[in-house]
Structures are given as structure tokens and as C-alpha cells.
Amino acid sequence: MRITQGCFSFLPDLTDTQIAAQVNYCLEQGWAVALEFTDDPHPRNTYWNMWGLPMFDLRDPAGVMGELKACREANPETYVRINAFDSTKGWETVRMSFIVQRPTAEPGFRLVRQETQGRMLRYTMESYAVGRAPEGARYAP
Amino acid sequence: MNAPEQAPARIDLGAEFRDAGIGEVLDALERDLVGLAPVKRRVREIAALLLVDRVRQRLGLATEHPSLHMSFTGNPGTGKTTVAMRMAEILHRLGYCRRGHVVAVTRDDLVGQYIGHTAPKTKEVLKRAMGGVLFIDEAYYLYRPENEKDYGQEAIEILLQVMENQRDDLVVILAGYAERMERFFESNPGMKSRIAHHVDFPDYSDTELGEIAQRMLAGWNYRFDEAARVAFADYIVLRRRQPHFANARSIRNALDRMRLRQALRLFESGATVDAEALTTLTEADVRASRHFQQAAA
């Protein structure tokens, strides 16, 4: 099941040229670009691992693309996303976030039904990948 | 089978030159900077080479992406930073540099203070400079042969790697005194071989420094009266003999001090002033310099 979070996630995966063009747009808006990666893509897991610090004062996407390459090499078979922070207004917030790498196989989520008092049911989601292996080995081929 | 798209057989170099808009930059360089004839000539040569390379590429004549890293050598205050800014502009207009901004750094910005600090620091600077020009002032301080634990070597290695592999993302300009740069290159042959253009900045002559002073004053809405002009010519001769003479920078500092003296003179005279008095530096303002007193003593 293809995970859809952030911008462009219903589109085919972006090529590197397209990613660079998006990063270029972010930099032109004066946003700081950051890379994050995880192998627990639950929609409620907002805290992904940071790949280095957010990159401030960049003028050109080449610097981000270099970091992205390094991040992909160090973390194959994980999710990697690019976040763009806008600090110009004083309230620092993510203006744009999109996935730039995903594992080859995405097993997806199962719906867990928990029976409680009476005939009540609680529903929750559980990732197959997270359930089957500890962190770091979840998407290993 | 489709015939390959017919490349134009003849290209008008003049039109190419005008379209790139580098003419204005070169003219501005010629106009705004006093003297520096050999430097202007070199910049012109480099611009011409890049333009011709671009045309050759269009005609399908294989050209390797030219190596654009440069070294600017010369004494302090000879305009290395200013020319680097213009160079970035030229590279940008010719399309060899995507942004055309200049990131000026020294050893402190590249080299860390403890183990493992240098690489992230250098990479951070390189990332900021991507798409533009990285100007490393006094580059020879990166290499300290007397201390083998120095982290400068690490910064040099990262720099070399990027200079080689990301030639179309970044242009590096190293700057510094001629002899010390020469020694730096001798001990870092890898660096020397990756730098295509060596530009030497000569010292300014006394008349050129006088001209520079006039232009600086005009820019600030000041001027010398006739006697002050003569006095300032004497001042340049005396100042050049003193240690730490830094060409145009020394001139600017001297002018700053003369403006201070003029302000105090006007203030203490207590008289009403007009625009004429406010803009004129007199002989007294110039001759009060300590270099005249030392020469007299």
C-alpha cells in the first residue's frame, strides 16, 4: 500500500530534477530546507529522525541534493522526506513537506479491532512492517 | 531516420557577446576600477574563453566543462574581493554559475576547533556557496605545516573533492599574498593542479592611489581643494614607506581620519558653515597626519 503523506504523494515519485526544482522554489521563498528519515511511517508519527540540521542560508538546491544523496546511501529502504520551514513570520512552521524516497515494498497497515465493554469496538491502525521487525530491519529486502 | 537537428553553421560572436550582457560588466570593471590593467586583461581573456566555449558547445564541438577555479594573488587592498564579485557576475551571465552570489570566508569559517568539527563546518560553507563563488581569503592559513595535528588539511581535502566533482555547482577563488600562496601551492600540488587561472594583482602606483582617493571622496560627496590635493600626493609617498601599507584600504582609512579632522575643525571654529565648507577637505586636514610629523622629525 503506497503511503500518501505530504505534498505530491498522489503523483508518481518525483525525479531528482523535479525534487531539485521544488527545493529551488522553497529556497526562493526564503525557507530553510531539512531532511528527515524513518522506517515507522504511521501517520501519527510526526517525529522522524533528522538528517543533520535544517539548512539555512542556502541559495542553490545543489547543497540539499548532495545531502539527499548521502542520506539515501546511509538509509536505503527507509522513508525520506524534505521539509521546508518558514521562519520569516516568527512562527516557525513547515510550509511544505514531501516524500523523496520510499522502500521498494510497502506492506501497509492493518485495521485492529479491539472489543471493549458491551458491543463497543475500538479501531486502530498498525503497520505490518513495524510489527514484524525492530527498528532498522523493518524494510530490509 | 531523422536527420540530427541542423546546428547553425555560423555564429555571430558579437551578438553572442551582447546577448550574454557581459559587455556591461566588463565595461563597469574597466570604468569603476582604477589601474589594474593586467587584471582587467586577464578577466577579459577568461570571459572571452568562456564565451567561445559556449559557442563551440552550441556547434557541437566537444568541449569539456572548463575548470573555473582561480587564484587571486596580490598585496592587501589591491581589489581582489571587488574583482571576485565582478567575476561572479560575469560567470553568472555566461551561465557557468547558477546564482552568481559570492560567499567570502577565511580559515575560521572552514576549520573546526576539535576533532570531527571541521568536516561539517566546511560542508556547511560549501553548501551555502553552491551555485555561486566561494571566495577564500588568505587561503594559505588553511595549511599549517608546523602543526601536524592541524585540522586545516581536512578542510583542504573536502574542498579538493568538491572542486573536482562538483565543478558545475561551485567556483572556488583563493586569494592572498603572492609568495605565501606560492608556498601554499607547493605544499598542496593537488590544489595547484585544480586551479586553472592565476591572476596577479599589482600594487597601485602613486597617481592611481590619488585617483582612487578622488573617487572615494566623490562617492561620499567630499572633495579636496587644490592645496589639499598636492598635500595628499605627498602623503601617499610618505605612507607607502611605512609598514602595513595596504594600498586602497590605507587610502580609505586615511580619508576617514581626514574627515574626522575636518569635522572637528568646523565644529571648533564655531562659525556658520555652508555646503562648500562641509564638502571641502583642506590642506590642514591632510597635513595634520602623523606621517608628516614623523617625516619632519
Side-chain angles (χ1 to χ4, degrees):
Chain A
M1 190 198 81
R2 187 183 159 85
I3 281 171
T4 51
Q5 348 181 326
C7 311
F8 318 126
S9 55
F10 287 93
L11 298 176
D13 285 342
L14 300 183
T15 63
D16 277 7
T17 327
Q18 289 168 330
I19 293 171
Q22 294 297 342
V23 171
N24 191 29
Y25 170 79
C26 297
L27 296 178
E28 272 171 13
Q29 306 303 306
W31 302 340
V33 177
L35 285 171
E36 292 180 342
F37 62 98
T38 191
D39 61 358
D40 179 5
H42 192 284
R44 289 295 178 92
N45 174 23
T46 42
Y47 299 114
W48 292 26
N49 298 310
M50 294 170 81
W51 178 262
L53 297 172
M55 290 167 260
F56 292 96
D57 306 324
L58 257 54
R59 294 283 303 272
D60 190 85
V64 176
M65 297 312 284
E67 288 294 336
L68 176 59
K69 186 162 165 279
C71 180
R72 281 171 169 167
E73 273 164 19
N75 304 289
E77 297 293 322
T78 59
Y79 291 91
V80 177
R81 71 180 173 194
I82 285 181
N83 290 340
F85 292 94
D86 183 1
S87 59
T88 52
K89 294 268 198 284
W91 29 263
E92 294 208 12
T93 188
V94 174
R95 283 292 190 119
M96 192 156 134
S97 171
F98 56 101
I99 294 178
V100 289
Q101 173 183 283
R102 36 178 92 239
T104 32
E106 297 177 274
F109 297 87
R110 87 188 167 96
L111 188 67
V112 181
R113 296 183 182 83
Q114 187 190 27
E115 292 187 38
T116 59
Q117 312 94 304
R119 294 181 57 78
M120 230 167 42
L121 275 182
R122 290 174 190 275
Y123 296 102
T124 182
M125 286 210 313
E126 198 179 84
S127 161
Y128 290 113
V130 172
R132 77 178 171 208
E135 199 179 350
R138 286 169 183 162
Y139 287 94
Chain B
M1 205 184 100
N2 284 336
E5 202 184 315
Q6 192 63 47
R10 302 185 81 81
I11 290 180
D12 179 7
L13 270 180
E16 196 71 23
F17 184 76
R18 277 190 301 279
D19 290 347
I22 50 172
E24 304 148 37
V25 188
L26 288 175
D27 288 345
L29 186 77
E30 201 76 40
R31 198 174 54 237
D32 299 348
L33 297 184
V34 179
L36 293 180
V39 175
K40 288 172 180 168
R41 170 129 200 93
R42 283 290 280 150
V43 172
R44 228 166 230 288
E45 278 170 10
I46 295 170
L49 170 75
L50 296 180
L51 190 75
V52 169
D53 259 6
R54 211 168 67 150
V55 172
R56 280 171 56 102
Q57 220 150 28
R58 191 115 41 91
L59 283 179
L61 298 168
T63 332
E64 212 190 328
H65 189 88
S67 175
L68 294 170
H69 306 307
M70 301 176 205
S71 111
F72 287 0
T73 51
N75 288 329
T78 43
K80 297 187 287 290
T81 316
T82 316
V83 173
M85 303 273 180
R86 301 294 165 97
M87 200 71 217
E89 179 74 32
I90 292 171
L91 293 176
H92 178 52
R93 298 219 176 177
L94 283 170
Y96 284 96
C97 203
R98 285 191 301 273
R99 307 278 147 173
H101 65 294
V102 177
V103 175
V105 296
T106 55
R107 179 190 155 93
D108 290 353
D109 301 292
L110 295 170
V111 180
Q113 291 168 350
Y114 41 84
I115 288 185
H117 189 205
T118 304
K121 220 174 159 181
T122 307
K123 282 182 185 156
E124 160 100 36
V125 169
L126 287 170
K127 273 189 277 176
R128 270 198 290 140
M130 288 283 168
V133 170
L134 178 65
F135 181 80
I136 306 179
D137 207 2
E138 308 198 81
Y140 35 77
Y141 283 131
L142 285 177
Y143 179 70
R144 293 233 167 111
E146 68 276 11
N147 182 356
E148 61 182 48
K149 286 196 195 121
D150 188 68
Y151 304 133
Q153 193 61 39
E154 199 183 340
I156 293 177
E157 267 148 36
I158 296 172
L159 213 59
L160 282 178
Q161 207 182 337
V162 172
M163 283 166 75
E164 188 60 36
N165 299 338
Q166 291 181 276
R167 264 190 279 176
D168 39 357
D169 286 332
L170 180 69
V171 174
V172 177
I173 298 183
L174 305 175
Y177 297 97
E179 319 87 67
R180 302 181 70 171
M181 283 306 278
E182 197 45 54
R183 242 177 299 148
F184 172 71
F185 284 133
E186 269 166 30
S187 37
N188 293 280
M191 196 61 107
K192 190 179 175 82
S193 66
R194 278 174 186 83
I195 288 189
H197 307 283
H198 293 262
V199 185
D200 201 36
F201 285 66
D203 278 346
Y204 290 110
S205 71
D206 290 350
T207 26
E208 281 164 357
L209 287 174
E211 169 78 23
I212 289 171
Q214 304 268 357
R215 287 193 188 195
M216 280 179 184
L217 286 179
W220 303 331
N221 279 319
Y222 277 92
R223 59 181 194 79
F224 281 137
D225 64 15
E226 203 42 55
R229 198 196 313 276
V230 177
F232 196 76
D234 295 343
Y235 174 85
I236 293 170
V237 175
L238 289 173
R239 180 65 186 89
R240 195 187 280 283
R241 287 191 212 133
Q242 301 295 321
H244 307 300
F245 176 66
N247 289 288
R249 201 169 304 140
S250 292
I251 297 298
R252 192 181 59 211
N253 293 343
L255 292 178
D256 275 338
R257 288 192 295 273
M258 284 162 200
R259 283 164 64 197
L260 282 177
R261 286 195 282 271
Q262 182 233 24
L264 188 66
R265 172 172 59 79
L266 291 176
F267 182 71
E268 285 180 344
S269 72
T272 52
V273 289
D274 52 5
E276 172 74 13
L278 284 173
T279 53
T280 312
L281 296 181
T282 63
E283 185 178 7
D285 300 325
V286 179
R287 295 245 178 235
S289 163
R290 71 191 153 90
H291 296 296
F292 286 105
Q293 269 110 61
Q294 278 167 10

